[in-house]
């Protein structure tokens, strides 16, 4: 399965088992979503469970909150990352704090799905990486899978989670990676990072679509590098990061979002707090630039690549400890 | 050019400001006991309001938004709700909470800055929403959930005239129409959004007419006439159970300041508010009840005394409450606190312990 199929399969599995799950979003019904992630689900489960919504992102999130507090488990979709910013008010001022404000009387089980990132030569506002905005909000979990198998397990966990989750799907790898994915439901726990490759000389920390290029870079360098896929951006699995860096003494962090206040900055701060005395070299980060995501003509220049990652690894490894 | 569609905006008044029934045909079916209960709830709301302002002035609670003048709109609409209906209020709807059975002590507690007062079990009123209008989509969503669950229940969204400028209002109304939500939209047009008069909020002659754009009924009612508010809400709920939303505009008047942090004399002449005293929702209802021999002056007095006692007991009881454990500021973030946050939990506990 590719990631589109895996997510579709996860939704199908969960909807078959739990009638309280409803989908809501623009063009997700008959059209199956602009990336076809929800293809066939409206036909199978009906228009009252897979709802084509009017074109209003904040409204989609707002009504999902109303449904969630009344016992449904909405899985709304925002069509593109750039438009997910309009839901910030509802996420920040409501979804994140309903359990807290009501001292547990109400809660808000929503999994908001949205494609993220560049790499498909899309229009303006269609290639953004806004995960930091949501990761900064207490009470919100942010999940970004790195491939089909991961996407299915993490999405099922997100849907079963009793609290709100922002689930960003790296659109660059929607169809680029194929893996064996079980047809039956399975879960991957939220808030736990995955050590994809063990090693002793350096810790590479990444998430989402750049895991693939990171692994390729590591293989080509033929060194003993540990690679961590965060899976969940918030809450961060600091424990896994710290024990790895304590072992390796070196770290490189890779993400597509701009550098300024990106997730890498937070990870560096946590390494500083938890593994400072184990460090043998300054930490490097490979991130997007602190500029507006350029249009297709310069998209590749902005985006990360294997060479940029290799360069950062080589630099950190070259520092004598 | 030809006219392809014409629309109407109905207006409902049952009780005029002199306490006279002007539309007998529309009179809701309410027993004498229920009418007395309505009066009691209005008196309770006002007494609670007066006490809250007093407590705020004494520093015993913090910022408070007065409902003075809006008792009929709040009590009348909330009283029309059935047990399974749920209200999504803004920050001024204390009368809605009290009508639905919330205790004054809970509302005082909330205004003392204690989350435990924001919601009460079995009251079926959601926590007050402070970001203006942001709760309206929740009422739509809850109404969509009831439609999906095929439940005979409805959600009612409360908001003011200021909210109707926000996208949330329009998106919520549009979704409700499209999805046949079991929802009633109740706008208390109190004619001010802090300082901005409604005439500068919208060029539309009524707020009720905004419903027409979304494909359902909008009605303006005399918001100081509790019988009209009750009747309009009851009718709207009956429609809502079948998937037909309604927008009710209760035309009322904010007699007090926006909140205890506001001084309305800066932008509104005190004489202007004074002029509205003759439209007082309590006065006219009492006049009617006395004239119709539903209530005696002696019974009216008894209600005043009973309410005073209730409010005083509420004050006593909220002031006697011990603060909640400090760690609860983080304990309710998620169902299960992630390991990541345990160190913060421990630090909060430690600081609280040390400051004892």
């Amino acid at each position: 399965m590719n990631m589109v199929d895996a997510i579709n399969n996860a939704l199908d599995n969960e909807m078959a088992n739990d009638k309280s799950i409803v989908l809501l979003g623009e063009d997700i019904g008959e059209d199956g979503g602009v990336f076809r992630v929800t293809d066939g689900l409206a036909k199978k489960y009906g228009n009252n469970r897979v709802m084509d919504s009017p074109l209003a992102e904040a409204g989609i999130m707002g009504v999902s909150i109303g449904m969630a507090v009344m016992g449904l488990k909405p899985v709304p979709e925002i069509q593109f990352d750039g438009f997910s910013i309009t839901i910030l008010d509802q996420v920040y001022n409501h979804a994140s704090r309903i359990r807290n404000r009501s001292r547990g009387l109400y809660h808000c089980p929503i999994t908001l799905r949205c494609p993220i990132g560049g790499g498909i030569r899309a229009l303006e506002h269609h290639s953004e990486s806004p995960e930091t905005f949501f990761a900064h909000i207490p009470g919100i979990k942010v999940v970004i899978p790195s491939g089909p198998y991961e996407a299915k397990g993490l999405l099922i966990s997100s849907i079963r989670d009793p609290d709100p989750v922002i689930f960003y799907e790296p659109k660059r790898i929607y169809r680029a990676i194929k893996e064996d994915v079980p047809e039956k439901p399975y879960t991957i726990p939220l808030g736990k990072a995955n050590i994809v490759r063990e090693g002793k000389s350096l810790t590479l920390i990444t998430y989402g679509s750049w895991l693939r290029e990171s692994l390729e870079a590591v293989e080509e360098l033929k060194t003993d590098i540990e690679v961590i896929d965060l899976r969940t951006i918030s809450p961060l699995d600091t424990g896994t990061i710290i024990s790895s860096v304590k072992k390796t003494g070196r770290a490189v962090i890779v993400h597509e979002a701009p550098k300024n206040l990106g997730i890498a900055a937070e990870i560096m701060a946590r390494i500083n707090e938890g593994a400072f005395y184990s460090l043998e070299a300054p930490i490097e980060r490979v991130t997007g630039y602190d500029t507006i995501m350029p249009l297709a003509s310069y998209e590749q220049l902005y985006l990360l690549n294997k060479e940029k990652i290799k360069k950062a690894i080589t630099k950190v490894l070259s520092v004598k400890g | 050019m030809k006219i392809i569609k014409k629309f109407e905006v109905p207006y409902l008044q049952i009780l005029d400001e002199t306490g006279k029934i002007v539309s007998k045909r529309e009179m809701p079916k309410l027993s004498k006991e229920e009418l007395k209960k309505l009066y009691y709830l209005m008196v309770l709301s006002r007494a609670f309001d007066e006490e809250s302002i007093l407590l705020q002035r004494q520093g015993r609670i913090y910022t408070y938004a007065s409902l003075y003048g809006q008792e009929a709109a709040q009590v009348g609409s909330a009283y029309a709700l059935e047990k399974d209906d749920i209200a999504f209020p803004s920050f001024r709807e204390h009368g809605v909470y009290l009508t639905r059975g919330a205790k004054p002590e809970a509302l005082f507690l909330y205004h003392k800055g204690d989350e435990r007062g924001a919601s009460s079990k079995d009251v079926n009123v959601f926590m007050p929403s402070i970001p203006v209008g942001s709760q309206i989509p929740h009422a739509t969503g809850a109404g969509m959930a009831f439609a999906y669950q095929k439940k005979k229940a409805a959600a009612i969204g409360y908001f003011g005239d200021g909210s109707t400028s926000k996208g949330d209002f329009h998106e919520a109304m549009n979704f409700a129409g499209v999805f046949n939500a079991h929802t009633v939209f109740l706008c208390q047009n109190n004619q001010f959004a802090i300082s901005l008069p409604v005439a500068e909020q919208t060029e539309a002659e009524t707020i009720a007419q905004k419903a027409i754009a979304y494909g359902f009924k909008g009605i303006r009612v005399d918001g100081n006439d509790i019988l009209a508010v009750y009747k309009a809400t009851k009718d709207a709920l009956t429609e809502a159970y079948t998937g037909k939303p309604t927008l009710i505009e209760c035309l009322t008047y904010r007699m007090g300041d926006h909140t205890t942090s506001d001084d309305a004399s800066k932008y509104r002449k005190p004489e202007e508010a004074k002029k509205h005293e003759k439209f007082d929702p309590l006065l006219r209802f009492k006049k009617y009840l006395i004239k119709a021999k539903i209530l005696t002056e002696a019974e009216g007095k008894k209600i005043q005394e009973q309410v005073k006692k209730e409010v005083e007991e509420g004050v006593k009881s909220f002031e006697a409450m011990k603060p909640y454990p400090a760690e609860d500021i983080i304990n309710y973030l998620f169902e299960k606190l992630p390991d990541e946050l345990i160190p913060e939990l421990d630090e909060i506990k430690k600081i609280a312990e040390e400051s004892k």
Side-chain angles (χ1 to χ4, degrees), chain A residues 6-230:
Chain A
I7 295 170
N8 183 286
N9 182 238
L11 292 168
D12 189 6
N13 281 172
E14 289 305 280
M15 289 182 82
N17 287 332
D18 185 349
K19 280 204 164 59
S20 67
I21 296 170
V22 294
L23 313 189
L24 173 73
E26 295 157 12
D27 311 299
I28 67 160
E30 206 172 327
D31 193 31
V34 291
F35 288 102
R36 304 290 175 265
V37 172
T38 53
D39 215 15
L41 296 176
K43 206 167 178 193
K44 186 165 177 186
Y45 296 103
N47 293 335
N48 64 334
R49 286 190 75 187
V50 183
M51 296 177 265
D52 271 321
S53 82
L55 210 163
E57 288 82 7
I60 290 170
M61 190 61 199
V63 303
S64 293
I65 291 171
M67 289 193 276
V69 298
M70 286 296 103
L72 299 189
K73 286 187 197 148
V75 186
E77 176 184 300
I78 301 296
Q79 206 160 64
F80 282 97
D81 33 49
F83 315 134
S84 64
I85 293 304
T86 61
I87 71 167
L88 258 174
D89 179 35
Q90 286 292 339
V91 175
Y92 183 72
N93 283 316
H94 290 290
S96 66
R97 55 184 81 195
I98 282 170
R99 183 185 288 281
N100 183 63
R101 297 188 69 219
S102 68
R103 300 284 103 166
L105 186 60
Y106 296 99
H107 66 288
C108 192
I110 295 178
T111 303
L112 185 287
R113 295 182 35 253
C114 180
I116 191 170
I120 64 159
R121 299 188 188 85
L123 287 169
E124 284 183 276
H125 312 286
H126 288 64
S127 303
E128 316 302 310
S129 297
E131 65 268 31
T132 280
F133 292 104
F134 293 93
H136 194 61
I137 304 175
I140 294 296
K141 291 176 182 146
V142 181
V143 176
I144 307 184
S146 58
Y149 181 87
E150 291 283 314
K152 180 172 175 181
L154 288 167
L155 181 58
I156 291 179
S157 293
S158 300
I159 293 171
R160 292 181 187 177
D161 195 279
D163 291 304
V165 177
I166 305 290
F167 192 88
Y168 273 124
E169 301 162 0
K171 64 173 89 71
R172 199 168 65 91
I173 55 165
Y174 259 150
R175 294 176 188 280
I177 303 173
K178 276 197 173 169
E179 287 171 352
D180 286 334
V181 177
E183 288 278 351
K184 280 193 174 155
Y186 59 94
T187 58
I188 296 174
L190 305 186
K192 296 272 173 262
N194 183 26
I195 300 171
V196 184
R197 182 186 197 276
E198 289 196 35
K200 289 194 183 102
S201 63
L202 181 144
T203 304
L204 186 144
I205 303 151
T206 189
Y207 56 89
S209 73
W210 296 99
L211 176 67
R212 188 174 54 158
E213 281 81 358
S214 297
L215 285 170
E216 285 168 10
V218 165
E219 291 303 328
E220 284 179 22
L221 287 170
K222 296 190 183 1
T223 50
D224 189 16
I225 291 173
E226 183 142 303
V227 177
I228 297 177
D229 174 9
L230 285 178

Side-chain angles (χ1 to χ4, degrees), chain B residues 132-167:
Chain B
V132 167
S134 61
Q135 74 281 13
I136 313 174
H138 307 162
T140 299
M144 287 166 69
F146 295 144
Y148 176 72
Q149 293 155 340
K150 297 191 167 58
K151 214 170 154 184
K152 196 196 163 207
I156 182 166
Y158 284 91
F159 51 94
D161 40 308
S163 294
T164 64
S165 293
K166 293 199 62 162

Side-chain angles (χ1 to χ4, degrees), chain A residues 223-243:
Chain A
T223 50
D224 189 16
I225 291 173
E226 183 142 303
V227 177
I228 297 177
D229 174 9
L230 285 178
R231 288 175 169 162
T232 303
I233 307 312
S234 184
L236 271 177
D237 181 1
T238 310
T240 298
I241 296 168
I242 297 298
S243 45

Side-chain angles (χ1 to χ4, degrees), chain B residues 189-209:
Chain B
N189 176 1
N190 69 10
Q191 307 191 42
F192 285 92
I194 304 191
S195 69
L196 197 74
V198 68
E200 290 173 54
Q201 192 73 246
T202 174
E203 188 60 15
E205 223 173 299
T206 71
I207 283 167
Q209 74 200 53

Side-chain angles (χ1 to χ4, degrees), chain B residues 102-348:
Chain B
K103 297 268 176 269
E105 65 200 66
L107 307 183
F108 288 138
L109 194 64
Y110 177 64
H111 291 92
K112 183 74 201 293
D114 188 321
E115 287 86 347
R116 288 174 300 178
S119 58
S120 307
K121 223 178 162 197
D122 303 326
V123 167
N124 251 359
V125 183
F126 208 61
M127 295 79 75
S129 173
I130 310 264
V132 167
S134 61
Q135 74 281 13
I136 313 174
H138 307 162
T140 299
M144 287 166 69
F146 295 144
Y148 176 72
Q149 293 155 340
K150 297 191 167 58
K151 214 170 154 184
K152 196 196 163 207
I156 182 166
Y158 284 91
F159 51 94
D161 40 308
S163 294
T164 64
S165 293
K166 293 199 62 162
D168 285 324
F169 165 74
H170 296 277
E171 292 184 23
M173 297 265 286
N174 189 45
F175 274 67
V178 168
F179 290 113
N180 303 315
H182 291 200
T183 304
V184 175
F185 298 94
L186 194 129
C187 177
Q188 291 170 79
N189 176 1
N190 69 10
Q191 307 191 42
F192 285 92
I194 304 191
S195 69
L196 197 74
V198 68
E200 290 173 54
Q201 192 73 246
T202 174
E203 188 60 15
E205 223 173 299
T206 71
I207 283 167
Q209 74 200 53
K210 291 176 193 269
I212 295 163
Y214 301 108
F216 52 85
K217 192 175 154 190
I219 174 173
R220 174 182 267 192
V221 306
D222 181 340
N224 287 8
D225 166 6
I226 192 160
L227 298 176
V229 174
Y230 174 84
K231 170 78 162 75
T233 313
K234 204 76 202 165
D235 289 351
L237 286 166
T238 307
E239 293 283 298
Y241 299 145
T242 70
K244 290 183 199 129
T246 305
L247 168 63
I248 303 171
E249 175 192 6
C250 295
L251 187 63
T252 179
Y253 191 84
R254 199 191 77 208
M255 296 292 286
D257 297 329
H258 164 64
T259 66
T260 48
S261 308
D262 175 45
D263 173 10
S265 70
K266 183 95 196 296
Y267 50 82
R268 183 175 83 179
K269 288 199 177 83
E271 306 92 85
E272 202 201 314
K274 198 106 188 121
K275 267 195 280 182
H276 280 267
E277 280 177 5
K278 70 170 181 194
F279 301 107
D280 187 319
L282 268 77
L283 267 181
R284 80 171 73 171
F285 193 45
K286 190 180 171 194
K287 270 187 202 161
Y288 160 72
L289 293 175
I290 299 267
K291 232 184 330 188
K293 300 200 180 344
I294 295 163
L295 184 87
T296 63
E297 283 290 352
E299 280 174 318
K301 224 176 215 155
K302 224 171 108 187
I303 287 175
Q304 291 281 4
E305 279 159 20
Q306 184 195 340
V307 155
K308 194 170 168 239
K309 218 173 101 187
E310 253 179 87
V311 170
E312 274 169 10
E313 272 166 18
V315 174
K316 251 189 243 160
S317 134
F318 102 88
E319 290 197 320
M321 271 184 87
K322 292 213 165 55
Y324 62 75
E327 63 257 37
D328 280 1
I329 68 170
I330 197 165
N331 260 338
Y332 287 102
L333 201 53
F334 297 107
E335 186 187 53
K336 187 182 171 292
L337 197 67
D339 295 345
E340 275 302 299
L341 294 177
I342 303 290
E344 293 195 15
L345 173 79
D346 292 342
E347 186 179 318
I348 291 162

